[in-house]
Amino acid sequence: MTSILMVCLGNICRSPLAHGILESKLPSNQFYVDSAGTANYHIGDAPDHRSIKVAKSHGIDISNQRGRQFKVSDFDTFDFIFTMDDSNYQNVLALARNTNDIAKVKCILDVDYSIENKQVPDPYYGDDLGFEHVFQLLDKACILLSKKLQNIDI
Ligand code: 4NP
């Protein structure tokens, strides 16, 4: 089993989408996908209703996910840890215990060489269009990532 963790700040907007999108593209008997936030604001909460809505409009149900905070033992549990932006990346790296932990962490848009801005913008204070934009960024990245994880040439 290969395990992948998606990380953002609150674990209610971006990482639940990344979690649901990647999970939908990988066989569940070979891959385990989860998500977490670096902050403790939304522990136990369902994803933001706008993330649930945009995922549903693309055929993905993320309504059963619940927020949790990133913890140091996630470095042991997961093979790959993908953050949504540089701030999440720095927050996760600050908890790394060794070079092995550090090597597991990447920004998710680094997988997409065609785009220059590698940040998945935080849509929390924006509108529905921002959530659709985040969905599109993550969907493209997860198509590439799912192929890489399954060793399919891209
Ligand atoms: P996320 O967005 O990191 O994509 O889940 C946020 C959600 C909530 C807050 C910040 C960012 N907040 O401050 O509560």
Side-chain angles (χ1 to χ4, degrees):
M1 190 71 99
T2 302
S3 53
I4 303 113
L5 183 67
M6 301 296 191
V7 179
C8 63
L9 175 61
N11 192 211
I12 56 164
C13 296
R14 292 166 293 176
S15 60
L17 279 173
H19 170 176
I21 293 167
L22 186 66
E23 199 170 55
S24 76
K25 298 183 192 302
L26 290 171
S28 61
N29 61 339
Q30 291 171 47
F31 295 91
Y32 173 67
V33 186
D34 193 13
S35 61
T38 57
N40 62 1
Y41 316 141
H42 295 286
I43 294 170
D45 290 356
D48 186 285
H49 65 97
R50 296 162 296 176
S51 283
I52 292 176
K53 187 169 121 185
V54 76
K56 195 175 172 197
S57 77
H58 293 280
I60 298 171
D61 181 6
I62 62 167
S63 62
N64 288 331
Q65 293 185 26
R66 292 296 175 265
R68 75 167 179 89
Q69 189 171 23
F70 180 85
K71 51 185 189 286
V72 172
S73 62
D74 286 324
F75 286 116
D76 302 319
T77 308
F78 292 91
D79 301 303
F80 301 99
I81 298 169
F82 290 102
T83 62
M84 301 297 116
D85 64 28
D86 280 341
S87 169
N88 317 144
Y89 180 79
Q90 294 303 337
N91 287 335
V92 171
L93 273 204
L95 298 173
R97 301 156 299 184
N98 52 49
T99 53
N100 205 25
D101 289 353
I102 293 169
K104 291 185 175 187
V105 192
K106 300 221 161 24
C107 275
I108 188 165
L109 296 188
D110 284 348
V111 75
D112 186 349
Y113 299 121
S114 73
I115 55 162
E116 273 179 30
N117 186 352
K118 303 291 188 187
Q119 313 293 307
V120 181
D122 186 345
Y124 188 59
Y125 294 104
D127 58 15
D128 284 0
L129 276 180
F131 281 78
E132 177 63 29
H133 177 58
V134 165
F135 186 94
Q136 293 301 335
L137 283 174
L138 291 174
D139 193 51
K140 189 159 176 239
C142 287
I143 289 170
L144 296 167
L145 193 54
S146 69
K147 288 181 179 167
K148 280 194 177 191
L149 289 166
Q150 294 176 94
N151 297 314
I152 298 168
D153 281 345
I154 50 172

